[in-house]
Amino acid sequence: MSDNANTPARQDDAPEVDVKKLMAEADTGGRTPGPTVKQLILWVAITWSLFQLWIASPLPFSTGVLVFNDTQSRSIHLAFAIFLAYLVYPAFKRSPRERVPITDWVLGLIGAFCAAYLFAFYRELATRPGQPTTQDLIVSVIGLITLLEATRRALGLPLVIVALVFLGYTFGGPYMPEMIAHKGASLSRAMSHMWLTTEGVFGVALGVSSGFIFLFVLFGSLLDKAGAGNYFIKSAFALLGHMRGGPAKAAVVSSAATGLISGSSIANVVTTGTFTIPLMKRVGYRGDQAGAVEVSSSVNGQIMPPVMGAAAFLMVEYVGIPYTEIIKHAFLPAIISYIALLYIVHLEALKADIQGLPRRSQATPMQRLISFATTVAGFVVLAGAVYYGIGWLKTLLPDTAVFIIGIGVFAAYLGLLWVGSRQPPLEMDDPNAPVFELPETRPTLRSGLHYLLAVVVLIWCLMVEQLSPALSAFWATMFMIFVMVTQRPLMAWMRGHGGYGLALRQGFVDLISGLEVGARNMIGIGVATAAAGIIVGTVSLTGVGLVMTEIVELLSGGNLIVMLLLVAFISLILGMGLPTTANYIVVSTLMAPVVVELGAQSGLLVPLIAVHLFVFYFGLMADVTPPVGLASFAAAAIARSDPIKTGVTAFFYSMRTAILPFLFIFNTQLLMIGIDSTFHLVLTVASAVVAMLIFAAATQGYFLVRSRWYETLALLLVTFTLFRPGYWWDMVYEPYKTVPASQLMKLVEEAGPDVRKRVWVEGTNLDGKDIRKGVLLPLGEPGKAVQRLNKIGFSVMPQGDEAMISMVKFGSTAEKLGLEQGFRITTIEVPAERPAKEWMFLPALALLGLVVLLQRVRGRRKAA
């Protein structure tokens, strides 16, 4: 055990930062007004939460009461967000925190009225589309101004500046340089487009915020208020805290667990970092290292399904695939990124000889292993019994199965709660106490198993019942509300403590607090998605997206790798200072079409989800990267280290995340695409995990011992080969052979489920530009060729050896792929028969074995 593992924390190591204040100012507003205004804010926030639960539930349509269409829901959603933004976020640093100035009341009410204008005057606006009255224009201008001011207060200047630049471009088109010039837009046309239609502020992004994101954020808030956040942290420390660099490994795991339910990098940092950062410093990590580990793991929470910082729900709309598919594609990169971060902190611990924290019990490693294996095996058996048992029940009793399943869930809840009641209560220890011992593993894990049941309900509704994300989140949230109200009195009864009335009252207090915090957490997301709608509206109004494609094409000179590097860099710049949701809207609107279009022209044909994840990952890296890495500043405040140094260290740790997008662009198997057997799946996952661990070792300059430069190069070569074996294999064997487009219908009909067919198209687009590019057609379920193409959104007509596209549906997948009526399908590429590219793993592993041998010999010499 390291000498400093149990030494008292020095006074200068204690985080002199008001974390509650930091989190409030970052995510829920920094104002603490008097009791009357505080109560008003509370009930407005609760009303917003209840409104969102109502529109997500089946009740409006079954009762016919308070039925709102999408546009009306978005309008009310934004009205709540703007009004609360002015009440809880002060205008400036010197603005009063203890009261709400009259100007903020006025601005909040005006902004809420302008946002609710589409709801209040919906019928009138529907009778005059594209013909706004003077009143419409006044409301639109004032609405945009109040929205941008609310965005500035809640999120800072970056998003406001980006939105203003795009607004300026909308009006100043004729005065721009020739390459980016356009005819411009009048005030009437621009305001109508931005505020009175669903093309701008009230577009898809705000619709996703209203329809999906709010419920998942509310679910996470209730889960945290119920005690799950504390449970995740304590469980991570109980499992990993005793290992080398244990607090850092526990920080990674607890941030991953918190990231499952959190929509904010900063909230993740200050929630888990207050506990983990002091303990990391205690066992020997430098302040910047401790902050960087927390930043890297917290930001990675935004790439972890199922929430992904709310971007997952936006991808459903932008990519056009089901939410469950998004989760499947995003899961493996997120997991291997976290595994690599665990390995990085382990290597740092090896280099500095950092030990873990002491356990309270002295069980042998074998006893702990048996206990852990028994617990895992029990979960696996239980999960299998539940899955197949419920499937059998639904087949046997289709009409009454839902009631029996409900009784089963309630019984499981009571059973897990009883198991938790047999354990000592979970209390968060002081990380700065002179002596800090790890909690017992078994009691800690058992004490909060009922929290996981709510997550199981959510995943079950999504994956098994295949309900919509909104309805799945609704039922999971309702279950969580039931848990919050009942867990305290039931636990008191099971422990025989009495005081049931007080426990029930405390449960309702937690519920009200959770409903309020959930709504306040949504203020920033609500105004961010609305403000980002200005950028989306500008792109659709001016066609600036095509301009971005031309600029990147010009700068890259047609080189594919240079193009991807440029897109990554621009996504990083665009993402600086933006919250996750707005970040994804901006980078996907501007940069995803660039990768699709230029990649298609160069023969890089990848599914849309790979492109969107590519720009999303690099947009998120802005949360880490100095000088604007907001998460790095929050962690540095807790670690009392230099923010820039913390950000640089965090960026270095996050390099593993930065290489992943390049790898899954060229090898989509990392996104679970093109996996055709269980063995193939295991091989893909195993090779990806090993490759990421080797990359971490290469970037850290330490494997078994400190690496020589040629060993580092060898490790990087092994990493590249394991991640992308096709690069070398394509030099030996041609990956595809071409067949005439006249065989399209036959090949489409014979293709298996979820196959993507590579076709090359030529033609002149609506702008008069000659196009030749490749397109990846997602064929979906098997069926007749005409039906499969119709589901994609287009039809073809034979024309000799080619096929003419005779029709493209508006808003279809075919339109998103850039197909237009009149284009000709000239050739089709089908996979060539060749040995599996995974044979390249053998020379890569042989080279890895050579590096291991060299380092072992050197390690033995050093030991001798």
Side-chain angles (χ1 to χ4, degrees), residues 36-66:
T36 305
V37 177
K38 189 176 181 180
Q39 284 295 309
L40 175 67
I41 293 172
L42 169 69
W43 288 109
V44 171
I46 291 173
T47 304
W48 190 11
S49 293
L50 295 177
F51 165 75
Q52 296 290 160
L53 285 171
W54 174 262
I55 63 174
S57 74
L59 292 175
F61 297 100
S62 60
T63 62
V65 177
L66 296 177

Side-chain angles (χ1 to χ4, degrees), residues 208-487:
V208 173
S209 175
S210 172
F212 299 154
I213 299 174
F214 192 103
L215 292 170
F216 278 83
V217 171
L218 179 60
F219 174 72
S221 171
L222 294 176
L223 200 57
D224 184 57
K225 281 291 178 183
N230 183 23
Y231 172 70
F232 289 153
I233 295 173
K234 297 283 279 192
S235 297
F237 269 88
L239 287 169
L240 303 171
H242 66 286
M243 298 179 176
R244 275 187 175 271
K249 293 174 181 174
V252 173
V253 173
S254 60
S255 291
T258 307
L260 292 173
I261 59 174
S262 170
S264 166
S265 302
I266 299 172
N268 202 343
V269 167
V270 298
T271 301
T272 58
T274 340
F275 188 72
T276 59
I277 289 175
L279 290 176
M280 281 189 267
K281 291 177 68 178
R282 166 177 296 190
V283 296
Y285 287 96
R286 299 193 313 265
D288 64 294
Q289 288 179 325
V293 168
E294 184 58 50
V295 169
S296 300
S297 51
S298 294
V299 171
N300 264 31
Q302 307 298 285
I303 66 174
M304 175 67 77
V307 177
M308 294 170 63
F313 313 110
L314 290 161
M315 286 181 192
V316 171
E317 299 295 327
Y318 288 171
V319 181
I321 63 176
Y323 174 70
T324 49
E325 289 291 305
I326 300 284
I327 293 175
K328 183 183 82 171
H329 296 319
F331 182 72
L332 181 57
I335 287 296
I336 62 176
S337 185
Y338 265 113
I339 290 173
L341 184 57
L342 277 172
Y343 189 50
I344 286 172
V345 299
H346 177 71
L347 291 176
E348 291 283 15
L350 284 176
K351 287 191 285 186
D353 193 26
I354 296 172
Q355 303 298 321
L357 291 166
R359 285 185 178 276
R360 286 179 184 151
S361 67
Q362 297 302 319
T364 65
M366 182 56 68
Q367 289 173 328
R368 295 192 187 102
L369 182 62
I370 292 172
S371 175
F372 181 73
T374 304
T375 304
V376 172
F379 272 119
V380 171
V381 171
L382 181 62
V386 169
Y387 180 80
Y388 291 107
I390 290 179
W392 171 78
L393 187 65
K394 289 171 74 174
T395 304
L396 186 66
L397 302 169
D399 296 328
T400 57
V402 65
F403 300 105
I404 299 174
I405 293 170
I407 293 170
V409 170
F410 179 68
Y413 169 61
L414 289 179
L416 293 176
L417 207 58
W418 183 84
V419 171
S421 70
R422 304 298 97 188
Q423 319 306 322
L426 271 186
E427 299 292 341
M428 184 66 82
D429 297 328
D430 179 8
N432 295 298
V435 177
F436 183 92
E437 291 183 329
L438 295 173
E440 297 279 3
T441 304
R442 176 178 284 193
T444 303
L445 293 178
R446 289 183 172 185
S447 64
L449 291 175
H450 60 287
Y451 298 129
L452 302 180
L453 192 59
V455 180
V456 169
V457 168
L458 174 64
I459 295 173
W460 182 274
C461 290
L462 281 170
M463 301 294 191
V464 181
E465 300 296 334
Q466 295 190 345
L467 301 179
S468 69
L471 199 55
S472 300
F474 168 76
W475 288 119
T477 303
M478 295 307 295
F479 180 76
M480 200 61 233
I481 289 173
F482 171 75
V483 169
M484 292 187 75
V485 172
T486 59
Q487 67 170 348

Side-chain angles (χ1 to χ4, degrees), residues 542-576:
T542 64
V544 68
L546 296 174
V547 174
M548 293 296 296
T549 302
E550 292 174 0
I551 292 173
V552 173
E553 184 178 17
L554 178 67
L555 293 175
S556 65
N559 185 288
L560 195 59
I561 298 298
V562 174
M563 180 270 289
L564 289 174
L565 288 170
L566 277 171
V567 170
F569 178 72
I570 295 171
S571 298
L572 192 66
I573 298 300
L574 288 172
M576 283 190 173

Side-chain angles (χ1 to χ4, degrees), residues 618-861:
F618 279 103
L620 273 184
M621 288 296 289
D623 269 354
V624 177
T625 312
V628 193
L630 300 180
S632 298
F633 278 85
I638 300 171
R640 299 194 62 203
S641 62
D642 178 69
I644 301 298
K645 189 176 181 182
T646 302
V648 169
T649 308
F651 183 77
F652 190 64
Y653 289 166
S654 299
M655 283 176 63
R656 78 212 183 283
T657 308
I659 69 157
L660 274 173
F662 286 98
L663 296 168
F664 60 59
I665 279 284
F666 290 103
N667 182 10
T668 54
Q669 289 176 354
L670 295 175
L671 301 179
M672 314 292 271
I673 295 172
I675 306 292
D676 50 22
S677 67
T678 304
F679 175 74
H680 195 187
L681 172 65
V682 172
L683 187 62
T684 300
V685 172
S687 61
V689 170
V690 171
M692 187 54 81
L693 295 180
I694 296 169
F695 178 76
T699 55
Q700 290 295 301
Y702 195 102
F703 189 26
L704 303 181
V705 294
R706 290 194 181 276
S707 300
R708 303 271 170 83
W709 65 270
Y710 51 85
E711 292 172 338
T712 297
L713 288 178
L715 291 175
L716 290 173
L717 183 60
V718 171
T719 299
F720 180 77
T721 304
L722 292 178
F723 269 131
R724 198 188 165 197
Y727 179 81
W728 309 109
W729 217 232
D730 293 348
M731 294 180 179
V732 182
Y733 301 97
E734 285 293 331
Y736 299 101
K737 63 180 181 180
T738 59
V739 297
S742 56
Q743 297 186 29
L744 176 67
M745 304 302 279
K746 177 187 174 185
L747 291 172
V748 167
E749 193 153 324
E750 292 175 350
D754 299 321
V755 169
R756 288 173 164 84
K757 193 62 67 181
R758 295 170 63 95
V759 301
W760 283 86
V761 300
E762 293 181 4
T764 305
N765 65 12
L766 295 175
D767 297 321
K769 184 178 179 181
D770 291 333
I771 299 294
R772 184 183 186 277
K773 64 179 183 180
V775 175
L776 210 56
L777 298 178
L779 298 181
E781 294 299 318
K784 297 289 185 183
V786 173
Q787 296 172 344
R788 297 184 87 170
L789 295 181
N790 190 53
K791 285 183 180 178
I792 302 172
F794 77 105
S795 57
V796 297
M797 220 168 37
Q799 198 178 65
D801 285 340
E802 299 180 344
M804 176 77 74
I805 297 177
S806 56
M807 180 275 297
V808 177
K809 290 182 182 177
F810 176 75
S812 64
T813 302
E815 186 189 49
K816 291 178 181 177
L817 291 171
L819 298 181
E820 295 184 16
Q821 185 175 336
F823 279 12
R824 291 172 292 111
I825 299 177
T826 56
T827 55
I828 304 169
E829 292 182 342
V830 297
E833 292 185 8
R834 61 177 189 168
K837 61 185 179 183
E838 283 77 13
W839 285 108
M840 283 303 304
F841 290 168
L842 295 179
L845 293 176
L847 181 58
L848 177 63
L850 178 61
V851 174
V852 169
L853 182 63
L854 289 173
Q855 295 210 353
R856 277 193 170 177
V857 169
R858 201 159 64 250
R860 286 171 184 165
R861 285 176 183 169

Side-chain angles (χ1 to χ4, degrees), residues 14-47:
E16 292 180 1
V17 59
D18 188 339
V19 177
K20 290 184 178 179
K21 181 180 178 182
L22 180 65
M23 185 175 177
E25 292 187 352
D27 282 297
T28 58
R31 196 171 261 155
T32 53
T36 305
V37 177
K38 189 176 181 180
Q39 284 295 309
L40 175 67
I41 293 172
L42 169 69
W43 288 109
V44 171
I46 291 173
T47 304

